Amino acid sequence: MREQVTAAILEATEDVIATRGLEGASIAAIAERAGVAVGTLYNYFPDRDELIASLFKQRRSDLAPRLAELAHVGARQPAERRLRDYLDGLLALFEEQRKYIRVVVAVDPGGTRGPVLLPLITTAIADILRPGYGKRSDEYAHMIVGCLKLLVRWRVEQGASLAGDAELIAHTFLHGMVKR
Amino acid sequence: MREQVTAAILEATEDVIATRGLEGASIAAIAERAGVAVGTLYNYFPDRDELIASLFKQRRSDLAPRLAELAHVGARQPAERRLRDYLDGLLALFEEQRKYIRVVVAVDPGGTRGPVLLPLITTAIADILRPGYGKRSDEYAHMIVGCLKLLVRWRVEQGASLAGDAELIAHTFLHGMVKR
Amino acid sequence: MREQVTAAILEATEDVIATRGLEGASIAAIAERAGVAVGTLYNYFPDRDELIASLFKQRRSDLAPRLAELAHVGARQPAERRLRDYLDGLLALFEEQRKYIRVVVAVDPGGTRGPVLLPLITTAIADILRPGYGKRSDEYAHMIVGCLKLLVRWRVEQGASLAGDAELIAHTFLHGMVKR
Amino acid sequence: MREQVTAAILEATEDVIATRGLEGASIAAIAERAGVAVGTLYNYFPDRDELIASLFKQRRSDLAPRLAELAHVGARQPAERRLRDYLDGLLALFEEQRKYIRVVVAVDPGGTRGPVLLPLITTAIADILRPGYGKRSDEYAHMIVGCLKLLVRWRVEQGASLAGDAELIAHTFLHGMVKR
DNA sequence: AATGAATGAGTCTTCATTCAT
DNA sequence: GATGAATGAAGACTCATTCAT
């Protein structure tokens, strides 16, 4: 019961941030979207910062194990294969979590106060690349995540699907862009 | 004289946004950083929105012609060569404008209210790529700009130099990552 | 409930304007007089202008029908009789609304932004006089209202009663001043 | 020299108050109208209140002796004759000082902070009436001044002349309104 | 436990006043 | 003396947070 209200509030928060941005996410707006009174929010979260942080924490704790799993799949495989598979799984996850991903690509920066999703992914990719790409792997990881973020943001803005983007990114980083 | 104060205020604004983000850039904070009284800001800018917009407009009007020039260099060259040169020039520009670039990579999204730098670059890159890469060029352009943004943000956070990053990005997109 | 708070705020506004004038009626002063916090005012009125306009609107919509009624009483009577009766009713109304009348006599001018009470009265008196006094009735109406305003302001300042003033004004305008 | 600048500033103040009202008479507006810098005003007047008070004081010290003279004319005459003459002289004075009179009829209330012209006139009229009208003379004086004020304000708004108004008021108070 | 009105600290903005040139 | 940019106190308004019901 308490769980359900908590979940509803977090979902409302996600909605409002996705729609109006972090600054537009006033307590009043969130409460309205959640269909509860302002005071009720404060029965579930101590303050606005904590509420927003909770959204990130919640989604992260949903996604982190799945990301971890993705990262460990085929640990014996060559880096190229693992990258491909990781991106594949990642974008499937994104497609499934479209709403939250809108938040992620809209908000990211800001140290520990943001969704800490992209840093997580960056680390995972760096780890995947390390065996084959050595000290460059951190740079590549940041580059890949940058790609991912802006490409996905663009897709989301256009209401387009993410299908094919894993392959697009993987191929580009492994072999370069494809001439027509 | 008036020019100098205007410039100092814009620089203070840039500083504060780079440090505390757009929302942390209160009039009081900017005035303090600029070493002037609050009221003085209002002798130079009609209100906060206009002040911030002016920063973007100013920097853009400094950078836009140089970006345009970069985009036109070697128009007869093959796309690969042009991309390399463009990124090269771009990162030199970034290095020169480090402070403002911190703002750009920290703030970017947000329609016409932000620095409109990255969209400008995205378009330029797409134009460069179009001859060789056809309909994929928009996707590639977004990807490259994503790379650029996160890589640069990372460099800036670490206080590292951007030298070599143009080559890194260009090579990666043209040929894929380099195995060690 | 909401009605009561609204009424209390309007009354506080009336009080403060009567005491310190329109310019002295700061939001802080009104809130303090009303015994509520500043923010509370904004739960009831969108901004200061609207608050003050509401006071005028409210009082006017209370008084306007009664004024209209007064104006129509004895429509068949001769102008002299009607004027006497109108002033009689008017001053009874004033006596009853002493507080608001302080505002009216302190503030009046200023187009549609003020209490629009005196213009209303001027028109009514001009209409009453027209049959007997022709084109002079507008001048007489302004004169009578001027009399009324300064006489009432004087009475209010002295804490004196308005009883007898209707007769005083009516007699003066009908027959001239009375020698002792 | 100093006199001339002082006079110019006071005239500018008068102008601005007549045009935009007391609240619209900002230091900046007055300085602009006077064609001097803001700082210059403060070489002539210690602060805004003093500046405005000086305008009133100045005009009053111009007008007071003339009013006093008017009040003493025909001291042996009967009250009726004196009232007529006083109003006659007064309105001639008003016509001559149209600009300042706009200020007077626009601003009046506010104790000693306003132009103290009307109270002066009220006293004079009461004194004139006292012999013939006894204890009523104060009331009549306030009434006459009220008449005067609103009638003049109305004339000024309409850009009309004040000729005939002295006779109009005098006759009305002596004999009542004239039927057509 | 839910409600939503009340609260008041924090922001933006204005403008009388000062003071270096 | 004149100038007008700089100053900062004061006022309007917002919104996260509290609390009586």
Side-chain angles (χ1 to χ4, degrees):
Chain A
M1 183 58 200
R2 184 170 181 86
E3 308 303 317
Q4 283 180 19
V5 178
T6 304
I9 292 172
L10 289 178
E11 216 168 312
T13 306
E14 188 175 55
D15 251 36
V16 175
I17 296 178
T19 311
R20 313 195 208 172
L22 205 43
E23 308 310 318
S26 69
I27 288 287
I30 294 170
E32 189 184 19
R33 173 77 70 141
V36 300
V38 170
T40 303
L41 291 193
Y42 285 87
N43 288 335
Y44 291 83
F45 301 93
D47 61 32
R48 183 178 178 272
D49 277 6
E50 220 36 58
L51 164 57
I52 289 174
S54 285
L55 170 65
F56 297 151
K57 229 174 291 174
Q58 221 282 266
R59 294 298 183 258
R60 183 166 64 251
S61 70
D62 273 9
L63 295 177
R66 302 180 62 180
L67 289 175
E69 194 188 8
L70 280 180
H72 286 301
V73 156
R76 291 295 158 79
Q77 303 292 328
E80 290 76 16
R81 174 66 190 281
R82 291 184 63 201
L83 178 64
R84 231 176 254 282
D85 290 349
Y86 186 77
L87 289 175
D88 229 50
L90 196 59
L91 283 166
L93 213 55
F94 278 15
E95 191 76 84
E96 182 194 317
Q97 303 279 335
R98 232 160 194 268
K99 177 120 34 99
Y100 184 57
I101 295 308
R102 283 186 65 186
V103 172
V104 172
V105 299
V107 162
D108 207 16
T112 325
R113 285 200 51 218
V116 192
L117 197 60
L118 298 188
L120 224 62
I121 296 171
T122 308
T123 308
I125 294 180
D127 288 345
I128 287 172
L129 295 180
R130 197 133 19 237
Y133 297 83
K135 60 182 170 33
R136 278 280 151 89
S137 38
D138 282 323
E139 274 134 339
Y140 287 140
H142 279 96
M143 289 166 67
I144 292 173
V145 170
C147 260
L148 201 58
K149 183 174 175 181
L150 260 62
L151 189 58
V152 168
R153 186 194 294 165
W154 191 47
R155 297 296 192 209
V156 168
E157 274 165 13
Q158 316 233 312
S161 148
L162 307 178
D165 286 340
E167 178 52 28
L168 175 61
I169 296 175
H171 189 277
T172 303
F173 275 83
L174 294 177
H175 309 294
M177 301 182 291
V178 177
K179 295 208 71 140
R180 64 168 166 185
Chain B
M1 184 57 201
R2 184 171 181 84
E3 308 303 317
Q4 284 179 18
V5 178
T6 304
I9 292 173
L10 288 178
E11 219 167 308
T13 307
E14 190 173 54
D15 252 38
V16 175
I17 295 178
T19 311
R20 312 195 207 174
L22 207 43
E23 308 309 318
S26 70
I27 287 287
I30 295 170
E32 189 184 18
R33 173 77 69 136
V36 299
V38 169
T40 302
L41 294 192
Y42 287 88
N43 289 337
Y44 291 83
F45 301 93
D47 60 30
R48 181 177 178 276
D49 276 6
E50 221 36 58
L51 165 55
I52 289 174
S54 284
L55 170 65
F56 297 151
K57 228 175 292 176
Q58 218 283 287
R59 296 297 185 260
R60 183 165 65 248
S61 71
D62 273 9
L63 295 178
R66 303 179 63 181
L67 289 176
E69 194 189 8
L70 281 180
H72 285 300
V73 155
R76 290 295 158 81
Q77 304 292 328
E80 291 75 17
R81 175 67 190 281
R82 291 184 64 201
L83 178 63
R84 231 177 254 282
D85 290 349
Y86 186 77
L87 290 174
D88 228 50
L90 196 60
L91 282 165
L93 214 56
F94 279 15
E95 190 75 85
E96 183 195 316
Q97 303 279 336
R98 230 158 196 272
K99 180 113 44 91
Y100 184 56
I101 295 308
R102 284 186 65 188
V103 172
V104 172
V105 298
V107 163
D108 210 16
T112 324
R113 284 201 52 216
V116 189
L117 200 59
L118 297 189
L120 225 62
I121 296 171
T122 308
T123 308
I125 293 179
D127 287 345
I128 287 172
L129 296 181
R130 196 133 21 235
Y133 298 83
K135 60 181 167 41
R136 278 279 151 88
S137 37
D138 282 321
E139 274 134 339
Y140 287 140
H142 280 94
M143 288 165 68
I144 292 172
V145 171
C147 261
L148 203 56
K149 183 174 174 180
L150 261 62
L151 188 58
V152 168
R153 185 193 297 164
W154 190 48
R155 297 297 192 210
V156 168
E157 273 165 12
Q158 317 234 310
S161 150
L162 306 179
D165 286 341
E167 178 52 25
L168 175 61
I169 296 175
H171 189 277
T172 303
F173 275 83
L174 294 176
H175 308 296
M177 301 183 290
V178 177
K179 294 207 70 136
R180 65 169 164 184
Chain C
M1 184 59 202
R2 185 172 180 83
E3 307 305 316
Q4 284 179 18
V5 179
T6 303
I9 292 173
L10 288 178
E11 219 167 309
T13 306
E14 190 174 54
D15 251 37
V16 175
I17 296 178
T19 311
R20 312 195 207 173
L22 207 42
E23 309 309 318
S26 70
I27 288 287
I30 295 170
E32 190 183 17
R33 172 77 69 138
V36 300
V38 169
T40 301
L41 294 192
Y42 287 90
N43 288 337
Y44 290 83
F45 301 93
D47 60 31
R48 181 178 178 276
D49 276 6
E50 219 38 55
L51 165 56
I52 289 174
S54 284
L55 170 65
F56 297 152
K57 227 175 293 174
Q58 218 282 286
R59 296 297 184 259
R60 184 164 63 249
S61 70
D62 273 10
L63 296 178
R66 303 179 63 181
L67 288 175
E69 194 188 9
L70 281 180
H72 285 301
V73 156
R76 290 294 158 81
Q77 305 292 328
E80 291 74 17
R81 175 68 190 281
R82 291 185 64 202
L83 178 64
R84 230 176 254 282
D85 289 348
Y86 185 77
L87 289 175
D88 229 51
L90 195 59
L91 282 165
L93 215 54
F94 279 14
E95 190 75 83
E96 182 194 317
Q97 303 278 337
R98 230 158 195 272
K99 179 113 45 90
Y100 184 57
I101 294 308
R102 283 186 65 188
V103 171
V104 172
V105 298
V107 162
D108 207 18
T112 326
R113 284 200 52 217
V116 190
L117 198 59
L118 298 189
L120 224 63
I121 295 171
T122 308
T123 308
I125 293 179
D127 288 345
I128 287 172
L129 296 180
R130 195 132 22 233
Y133 298 83
K135 60 184 168 40
R136 277 279 152 90
S137 38
D138 283 320
E139 274 135 338
Y140 288 140
H142 279 95
M143 288 165 67
I144 292 172
V145 170
C147 260
L148 202 56
K149 183 174 176 181
L150 260 63
L151 188 58
V152 167
R153 186 192 297 164
W154 190 47
R155 296 296 191 211
V156 168
E157 274 164 13
Q158 317 234 310
S161 148
L162 307 179
D165 287 339
E167 177 52 28
L168 174 60
I169 296 175
H171 189 278
T172 303
F173 275 82
L174 294 177
H175 309 294
M177 302 182 290
V178 177
K179 295 209 70 142
R180 67 170 163 182
Chain D
M1 183 57 200
R2 183 168 181 86
E3 309 303 316
Q4 283 180 17
V5 179
T6 304
I9 292 173
L10 289 178
E11 216 167 313
T13 306
E14 187 175 57
D15 250 37
V16 175
I17 296 177
T19 311
R20 313 195 207 171
L22 205 43
E23 308 309 318
S26 69
I27 289 288
I30 294 169
E32 189 184 19
R33 172 76 71 142
V36 300
V38 170
T40 303
L41 291 193
Y42 284 87
N43 288 334
Y44 291 82
F45 301 93
D47 62 30
R48 183 177 178 274
D49 277 6
E50 221 33 60
L51 165 56
I52 289 174
S54 285
L55 170 65
F56 298 151
K57 231 174 290 175
Q58 221 283 272
R59 295 298 183 259
R60 183 165 65 249
S61 70
D62 273 10
L63 295 177
R66 301 180 63 181
L67 288 175
E69 194 188 8
L70 280 181
H72 285 303
V73 156
R76 290 295 157 81
Q77 304 292 328
E80 290 75 17
R81 174 67 191 280
R82 291 184 63 201
L83 177 64
R84 232 176 254 281
D85 290 348
Y86 185 78
L87 289 175
D88 228 51
L90 195 60
L91 282 166
L93 212 56
F94 279 14
E95 191 75 86
E96 182 194 318
Q97 303 279 337
R98 230 158 196 272
K99 177 119 38 96
Y100 184 59
I101 294 309
R102 283 186 65 186
V103 172
V104 172
V105 298
V107 162
D108 206 19
T112 325
R113 284 199 51 218
V116 192
L117 198 60
L118 298 189
L120 224 62
I121 296 172
T122 308
T123 308
I125 293 179
D127 288 346
I128 288 173
L129 295 181
R130 196 132 19 234
Y133 297 83
K135 60 183 168 39
R136 276 279 152 88
S137 39
D138 283 320
E139 274 133 339
Y140 287 140
H142 279 95
M143 288 165 67
I144 292 172
V145 170
C147 261
L148 202 56
K149 183 174 175 182
L150 259 62
L151 189 58
V152 168
R153 185 193 295 164
W154 190 47
R155 297 297 191 209
V156 167
E157 274 165 13
Q158 317 234 313
S161 146
L162 307 179
D165 286 341
E167 177 53 25
L168 175 60
I169 295 174
H171 189 278
T172 303
F173 275 83
L174 295 176
H175 309 295
M177 301 182 291
V178 176
K179 294 208 72 140
R180 66 171 163 182

